[in-house]
Amino acid sequence: MAAPKWVTLRAQWLGQQLRELREANSLLLKDVAEYLQRDPSTAGRFESGEYPIRRPDLLALLDLYGVADGRRRESLMKLSQEVWQKGWWDGYANEVAGAFVDYVWLESRAAEIRSFDNTLLLGLFQTQEYARAVIAAAEFGAEKQQIERWVELRMTRQEILRGDDPPRLSAIIDEAVLHREVGGPECQRVQLRHLIECAARPNIEIRVLPFSAGAHASPTGAFRILAMRNPYPEVAYAETPKGAIYVESPDAESFVLTYDNLQKLALGPEDSAELISAIAKEMR
């Protein structure tokens, strides 16, 4: 039995907006199918995202639904183009879970990223050696060649921080992450020095949540909040033993509040940099 096709977030978002427009016009799927001269099941797959709608059909539906506002039409057309567009990350689609391909796409489009980590550093901060040690430990049954492909993917993701319009990146890191000797003392020491270099960039803010903060607002672990430009919603991302979850705004607000509460307990950027530097020097 074939595995179900992964429906991307962008396809789901487009389909959701098409469904809302249809319902606002009190139309049934059979009405849309008749208008487009297509099967009702095809019209249904447009709305579920299983089969992304193409430009001619989308333009026809926007006319049918009376969408006259130029900005709304443009945003929907842009989203439709994103659904069909292939990115560099699609070259890894057969090697990672579909949910993570969505995450890489979100990351590449984000205007702002907020993260909290309590076990390992954010992938965007990792050195190659640190990333290799992390991946090899988590994917202990994988062959060396496959591990190198995953390391390559992680390093390529970091290009967004070096582009002409990099995202604003705010990270809160539990102090325990700084003491965990991933790959051994030397690997961790080099990683911490790299982390300090990252913190010096104008678009990056790093704060450490010290041990002295005690209990905090995210005992369940790490998460990300990715804010994108219109027409995309703000999205929170968290990994669980059963796979990744995505939570869209307004429900993502609970993650925003959690992040804000963590930030109140964290050290400021300068004190955080000093602590990271001190831990790096103590490492033998």
Side-chain angles (χ1 to χ4, degrees):
M1 183 176 179
K5 179 182 177 182
W6 176 260
V7 180
T8 65
L9 277 177
R10 47 201 187 273
Q12 292 179 53
W13 288 338
L14 179 59
Q16 178 181 338
Q17 293 189 58
L18 291 177
R19 181 173 63 254
E20 290 173 355
L21 284 170
R22 175 177 59 79
E23 292 175 347
N25 283 272
S26 301
L27 295 171
L28 301 175
L29 277 175
K30 66 177 183 179
D31 301 321
V32 173
E34 182 178 346
Y35 180 79
L36 295 177
Q37 297 184 343
R38 288 183 175 274
D39 189 271
S41 63
T42 300
R45 286 195 290 272
F46 286 159
E47 294 187 2
S48 68
E50 294 175 55
Y51 184 79
I53 191 169
R54 292 189 180 275
R55 181 183 178 87
D57 287 330
L58 178 56
L59 286 171
L61 285 187
L62 294 181
D63 291 339
L64 175 64
Y65 298 150
V67 180
D69 181 77
R71 290 186 178 181
R72 183 76 192 280
R73 291 176 71 94
E74 183 181 353
S75 69
L76 288 169
M77 293 305 300
K78 178 182 177 181
L79 184 52
S80 174
Q81 290 170 1
E82 287 279 359
V83 169
W84 286 100
Q85 185 177 2
K86 291 284 186 179
W88 62 264
W89 52 83
D90 288 302
Y92 297 87
N94 295 327
E95 301 170 73
V96 297
F100 192 69
V101 171
D102 270 338
Y103 177 79
V104 178
W105 175 78
L106 287 169
E107 192 178 64
S108 73
R109 295 293 186 268
E112 180 180 9
I113 301 171
R114 282 164 285 178
S115 70
F116 169 66
D117 289 281
N118 65 336
T119 303
L120 298 166
L121 287 173
L122 180 70
L124 293 176
F125 292 146
Q126 294 179 11
T127 64
Q128 192 172 64
E129 293 74 18
Y130 185 100
R132 185 176 291 110
V134 166
I135 294 170
E139 305 292 343
F140 49 85
E143 296 181 358
K144 183 177 180 180
Q145 183 178 5
Q146 180 60 74
I147 291 174
E148 290 304 314
R149 281 283 288 169
W150 287 328
V151 171
E152 180 184 271
L153 169 59
R154 190 159 300 182
M155 296 300 103
T156 305
R157 285 168 48 205
Q158 296 177 6
E159 291 298 320
I160 65 169
L161 299 179
R162 295 184 282 271
D164 295 332
D165 186 23
R168 297 186 304 278
L169 175 52
S170 302
I172 298 174
I173 302 170
D174 194 290
E175 185 177 346
V177 177
L178 306 178
H179 291 279
R180 187 179 300 278
E181 294 184 0
V182 174
E186 180 59 24
C187 177
Q188 183 69 8
R189 183 163 50 247
V190 172
Q191 174 63 75
L192 293 182
R193 290 172 181 163
H194 176 67
L195 188 61
I196 294 170
E197 293 173 359
C198 290
R201 297 180 186 176
N203 61 307
I204 296 177
E205 179 184 271
I206 294 176
R207 294 173 179 262
V208 175
L209 183 67
F211 287 141
S212 59
H216 56 74
S218 188
T220 54
F223 62 89
R224 318 274 180 259
I225 305 167
L226 301 103
M228 296 175 291
R229 298 177 179 86
N230 288 333
Y232 308 112
E234 187 170 58
V235 178
Y237 169 90
E239 294 182 359
T240 77
K242 293 292 287 183
I245 62 169
Y246 293 91
V247 181
E248 299 174 25
S249 56
D251 294 334
E253 183 63 23
S254 62
F255 286 86
V256 174
L257 292 174
T258 298
Y259 185 87
D260 290 344
N261 278 302
L262 290 169
Q263 193 172 54
K264 293 175 184 177
L265 295 175
L267 301 176
E270 291 184 5
D271 288 340
S272 295
E274 289 180 6
L275 178 58
I276 295 169
S277 180
I279 293 173
K281 289 177 182 177
E282 293 172 0
M283 206 156 285
R284 294 286 185 265

